[in-house]
């Protein structure tokens, strides 16, 4: 029997980065679906039970690259495990890797802040990532459950920022994506890669096997982690698209293909 090709599911509207990954997937022989699962004839069992024999051989395995809303709607029905960093991962890093105080707290507690802070959602964009003058500027309880966890950090300005696609505890590919707070694409600086080696030597075990980590440097030349993002929902910018795709496929693939340590990093549907 001929092995079925792997499938990469994409949302209907693609960013430039997603189109780059799509074209790379097609060149590599993957089947690409640009729509919701139900409308394209993919097998959608009510309770996915991946066949271990198939997932080991890659027969018809389904992967995904999309934003959180689309991924949360589609992945469970297709038996896809979405990997992401723990919500408090950034807050638990040592200061030497963050260069700022960061706390994970319920947004209800953050409402009581009376100082400027950079506040964001840990693993999606439900709370806009902004510098808030104080906690009263955050969405209120009528819009967001007060128990929703947010990351609250001191304000740190980066002169340049870099995206690292991390696979199996090492940088698989990387690129610059910002300079002075504005989009600017380019190769990864040697300093970013050196900082990443130190970071991953200390913290790789606290991350899934496939993840995106953004790092930056301030005007004093100090390197710090900006944030961690799910590879399945992240742009690849100027990174090698083949290697970025490797990371995406691992980050959102069949449950049956997961290595045991990655089970601790499966995204739980909000």
């Amino acid at each position: 029997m001929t092995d079925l090709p792997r499938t990469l599911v994409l949302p209907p509207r693609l960013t430039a980065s997603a189109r780059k990954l799509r074209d790379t997937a097609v060149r590599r022989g993957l089947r690409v679906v640009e729509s919701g699962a139900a409308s394209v004839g993919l097998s959608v069992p009510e309770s996915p039970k991946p066949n271990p024999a198939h997932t080991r051989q890659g027969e018809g395995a389904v992967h995904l690259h999309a934003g959180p809303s689309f991924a949360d709607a589609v992945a469970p029905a297709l038996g896809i495990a979405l990997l992401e960093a723990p919500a408090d991962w950034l807050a638990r890093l040592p200061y030497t890797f963050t260069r700022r105080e960061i706390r994970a707290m319920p947004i209800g507690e953050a409402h009581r802040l009376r100082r400027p802070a950079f506040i964001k959602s840990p693993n999606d964009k439900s709370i806009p990532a902004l510098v808030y003058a104080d906690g009263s500027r955050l969405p209120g309880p009528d819009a967001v459950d007060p128990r929703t966890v947010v990351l609250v950090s001191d304000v740190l300005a980066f002169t340049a920022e870099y995206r690292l696609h991390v696979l199996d505890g090492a940088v698989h590919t990387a690129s610059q994506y910002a300079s002075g707070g504005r989009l600017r694409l380019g190769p990864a600086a040697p300093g970013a890669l050196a900082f990443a080696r130190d970071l991953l030597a200390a913290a790789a075990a606290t991350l899934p096997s496939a993840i995106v980590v953004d790092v930056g440097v301030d005007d004093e030349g100090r390197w710090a982690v900006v944030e961690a993002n799910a590879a399945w929902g992240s742009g690849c910018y100027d990174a090698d698209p083949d290697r970025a795709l490797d990371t995406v496929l691992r980050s959102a693939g069949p449950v049956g293909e997961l290595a045991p340590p990655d089970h601790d990093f499966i995204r739980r549907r909000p």
Side-chain angles (χ1 to χ4, degrees), residues 194-239:
F195 175 72
R197 284 192 293 272
D198 291 342
L199 170 68
L200 294 171
T206 65
L207 291 168
S209 67
I211 193 73
V212 160
V213 178
D214 294 342
V215 303
V217 61
D218 67 10
D219 56 8
E220 297 180 24
R222 300 180 303 172
W223 289 92
V225 176
V226 178
E227 61 183 353
N229 291 296
W232 47 263
S234 298
C236 63
Y237 298 118
D238 258 9

Side-chain angles (χ1 to χ4, degrees), residues 49-138:
K49 295 180 180 179
N51 184 327
H54 283 190
T55 55
R56 280 198 301 270
Q57 298 168 22
E59 292 184 357
V62 182
H63 303 263
L64 180 145
H65 178 61
S69 296
F70 184 93
D72 287 335
V74 172
L78 295 177
I80 295 174
L82 301 171
L83 301 182
E84 65 183 10
D88 62 349
W89 179 76
L90 193 61
R92 289 191 286 111
L93 282 179
Y95 180 85
T96 186
F97 294 124
T98 64
R99 298 296 178 182
R100 62 204 187 278
E101 181 184 354
I102 304 172
R103 296 175 60 201
M105 65 178 70
I107 194 171
E109 181 180 340
H111 283 143
R112 299 194 289 271
L113 290 172
R114 291 298 176 261
R115 60 175 176 82
F118 181 80
I119 303 173
K120 68 181 292 291
S121 298
N123 285 317
D124 56 43
K125 309 299 181 186
S126 58
I127 308 300
L130 298 169
V131 175
Y132 292 84
D134 58 55
S136 69
R137 308 300 177 91
L138 289 163

Side-chain angles (χ1 to χ4, degrees), residues 15-82:
T15 63
S17 177
R19 289 194 294 271
K20 187 184 297 185
L21 291 177
R22 175 200 61 191
D23 295 345
T24 301
V26 169
R27 178 173 52 76
R28 285 168 56 165
L30 277 72
R31 177 192 178 203
V32 173
V33 175
E34 295 179 43
S35 188
S39 65
V40 296
L42 289 175
S43 175
V44 186
E46 290 183 6
S47 300
K49 295 180 180 179
N51 184 327
H54 283 190
T55 55
R56 280 198 301 270
Q57 298 168 22
E59 292 184 357
V62 182
H63 303 263
L64 180 145
H65 178 61
S69 296
F70 184 93
D72 287 335
V74 172
L78 295 177
I80 295 174
L82 301 171

